[in-house]
Structure formats: C-alpha cells, structure tokens
C-alpha cells in the first residue's frame, strides 16, 4: 500500500492525543496481518520536528506580550513547512502510515474562523507550507467546546491558545463544522463526547473502511 496521511483534528481537549495512541496500537495489530513491514509514525503540529519543538514553545507559552495574528499564522506555517519535508514526505515515500495530530484544517479553523484572518490567504499559505501535500483522511473529533476545554483544564495549566476567549473556541468549532460539511469525502466526523473506548470504536470502523478501500484500489 502507498503511504497514507491520516490527520486528527478538533477543538482543545477533544481527545486527539488519546485516540491517536489507541489508533496506533489498533493499526499495528491489524497491519501485522496485512502488511507486517509497514511503519506507523505518530507526529504532531506544531512540534513534530526539532525546529518545530522550539516553534511550539513560542506559540503556546504565555509571554506577557501579545502575539499578533499574522505572526502566529506564519509561525504555524513555518512549523508545517519543516514538518512536511522532514517527517511527512519521507515517511509517506517509504509507504508508511502517518497519524498526525493537526494539519492544514487547524490553520483554517483557528487562524481563519477563530482569528478572522483571510481564508484565501490561509489557503495560499497552506499550499506553500505543504507543497500541495494533502491528507488522505481527516478524522474530526467533534465535541462541545465547553467539554473539551474542561477536559484540557482538568489536565493542567491552560496554554496561550487554550486561554483564548470562549467565543474564539466557538468560532473554531464552527469552522470545523463548515469544513466537514463542505468536504464530506475528506473529513469524517466522529462524536467525541462519549467515553474514550466508544470514540475509539467509531474511529476503528472508519479506519477499517478506508484501509479496505485503499487495498481494493491497489488490487484493481
Ligand atoms: N493550532 C495548531 C493553531 O492555532 N493553528 C494550527 O495551524 C495548528 C497546527 C496546539 C495548539 O495550536 C493550535 C491549536 C492548539 O491550540 P495541541 O497540543 O495540539 O496544541 O492542542 P490541543 O488540542 O489543546 O491538544 P490537547 O493535548 O490539549 O488535546 P487533545 O489531544 O485533543 O486531547 P487529549 O487526548 O490530550 O485529552 C485531553 C484530556 O481529556 C481526557 C484525556 O484523558 C486528557 O486528560 N479525555 C477524555 N475524557 C473523557 N472522555 C473522553 N472521550 C476523553 N478523551 C480524552
């Protein structure tokens, strides 16, 4: 099978990290039956490279000085450009499966819908940062903003983005909703409100369907 880029998206605390780990374990077990030598790589944006770790700190730590919206946008784009070249493209070229915590839709949802920056500008910047590399599947973990924020809060101190006003997070959530409605063939919604195990069952079904479809495409 060719390499596949599977992205997990959603608002703060929707459960991406938890579900990516569980999905990796499930995929590892399943792929040993189908293609034992496949590599499954878990990564994230921002922070999937050494440069990205530094950018992540700049982006998420509260520094007492406001970060302007276009500066924020460009830092996320810089992180992505590095990540695509250093991690995503080489892994996909070797036929690996990448499970990526956030990608281009995060910028549309957060900097576009959330901050109100131009969506066409963001699309151009995403194009530059990715060189046109699109996800093969995006799983959108849909949970109420209040539930997600309270899960994130229970875990520890809120980062710079989590501290943003509730209205900001509601606009981000609306952004994901509109993106998923406009692109149902690319973005699959999962109800992320139930328990971790139930959310994982939904994801496994989606992954199963896509793996089957991808295999059929190769064999036809
Ligand atoms: N960003 C990112 C942009 O603005 N633009 C961009 O272009 C990009 C790429 C990144 C920040 O940067 C922004 C978005 C973000 O603000 P992040 O670490 O990806 O930072 O952001 P978060 O979404 O905040 O990641 P979190 O780790 O906080 O949330 P997760 O990964 O969605 O959730 P997870 O799995 O860590 O779970 C959170 C807590 O909830 C519990 C978990 O045990 C954990 O304690 N939990 C559940 N509890 C009950 N029921 C369930 N079903 C649960 N699932 C998880």
């Amino acid at each position: 099978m060719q390499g596949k880029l599977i992205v997990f998206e959603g608002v703060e605390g929707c459960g991406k990290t938890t579900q990516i780990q569980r999905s990796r374990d499930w995929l590892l077990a399943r792929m040993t039956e189908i293609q034992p030598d496949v590599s499954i790589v878990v990564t994230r944006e921002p922070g999937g490279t050494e440069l990205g770790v530094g950018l992540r700190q700049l982006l998420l730590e509260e520094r007492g000085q406001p970060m302007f919206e276009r500066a924020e946008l460009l830092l996320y784009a810089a992180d992505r450009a590095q990540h695509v070249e250093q991690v995503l493209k080489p892994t996909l070229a070797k036929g690996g499966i990448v499970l990526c915590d956030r990608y281009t839709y995060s910028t549309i949802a957060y900097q576009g819908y959330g901050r109100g920056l131009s969506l066409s500008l963001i699309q151009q910047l995403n194009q530059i940062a990715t060189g046109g590399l699109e996800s093969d599947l995006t799983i959108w973990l849909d949970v109420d903003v209040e539930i997600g924020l309270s899960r994130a809060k229970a875990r520890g101190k809120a980062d710079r983005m989590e501290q943003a006003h509730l209205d900001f997070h509601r606009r981000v959530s609306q952004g994901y909703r509109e993106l998923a409605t406009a692109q149902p063939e690319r973005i699959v919604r999962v109800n992320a409100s139930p328990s971790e195990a139930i959310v994982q069952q939904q994801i496994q079904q989606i992954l199963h369907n896509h793996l089957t479809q991808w295999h059929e495409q190769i064999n036809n």
Side-chain angles (χ1 to χ4, degrees):
M1 193 172 77
Q2 284 179 327
K4 295 292 172 200
L5 174 55
I6 302 172
V7 175
F8 289 71
E9 290 278 2
V11 296
E12 310 295 316
C14 63
K16 294 176 284 81
T17 314
T18 308
Q19 295 301 334
I20 285 174
Q21 290 307 331
R22 284 176 169 246
S23 302
R24 177 180 168 276
D25 295 346
W26 181 80
L27 271 171
L28 273 173
R30 195 185 143 92
M31 293 307 283
T32 39
E33 296 159 22
I34 311 172
Q35 196 181 334
D37 57 341
V38 75
S39 72
I40 299 173
V41 172
V42 170
T43 185
R44 67 175 177 183
E45 291 192 2
T49 63
E50 202 181 327
L51 176 70
V53 170
L55 291 168
R56 183 180 173 91
Q57 262 186 338
L58 287 174
L59 281 159
L60 300 186
E61 278 179 12
E62 188 52 72
R63 284 162 194 275
Q65 274 195 335
M67 182 180 291
F68 292 99
E69 287 155 357
R70 277 175 296 148
E72 181 183 276
L73 173 67
L74 291 168
L75 288 174
Y76 279 115
D79 169 76
R80 180 160 305 133
Q82 183 76 14
H83 190 221
V84 165
E85 294 302 329
Q86 198 178 320
V87 179
L88 302 188
K89 279 190 187 169
T91 308
L92 295 170
K94 285 187 237 151
I97 297 181
V98 181
L99 301 179
C100 187
D101 193 330
R102 299 192 180 282
Y103 194 52
T104 49
Y105 293 127
S106 277
T107 321
I108 300 175
Y110 278 79
Q111 280 65 53
Y113 285 84
R115 301 284 191 223
L117 292 175
S118 154
L119 294 179
S120 68
L121 172 76
I122 291 170
Q123 261 148 11
Q124 285 176 47
L125 200 55
N126 273 340
Q127 177 67 27
I128 293 168
T130 62
L133 179 68
E134 294 185 344
S135 60
D136 294 286
L137 166 67
T138 294
I139 295 174
W140 167 41
L141 301 184
D142 182 19
V143 74
D144 280 350
V145 163
E146 286 88 344
I147 295 177
L149 284 171
S150 73
R151 284 182 189 167
K153 204 172 167 188
R155 202 188 35 190
K157 190 173 176 288
D159 66 32
R160 190 182 67 85
M161 299 297 286
E162 286 165 1
Q163 286 172 23
H165 198 275
L166 189 57
D167 285 347
F168 167 81
H169 294 291
R170 289 199 175 121
R171 290 196 297 277
V172 172
S173 179
Q174 181 59 22
Y176 281 120
R177 184 152 290 104
E178 290 185 23
L179 282 166
T181 305
Q183 302 181 51
E185 71 295 345
R186 299 184 52 80
I187 305 175
V188 183
R189 175 187 175 273
V190 163
N191 176 7
S193 304
S195 70
E196 290 177 15
I198 304 258
V199 175
Q200 178 58 200
Q201 275 174 17
Q202 298 177 67
I203 292 171
Q204 285 175 10
Q205 188 60 56
I206 293 164
L207 291 174
H208 169 80
N209 293 345
H210 278 76
L211 288 172
T212 308
Q213 193 186 316
W214 291 331
H215 267 280
E216 281 171 5
Q217 282 166 2
I218 297 166
N219 296 329
N220 288 334

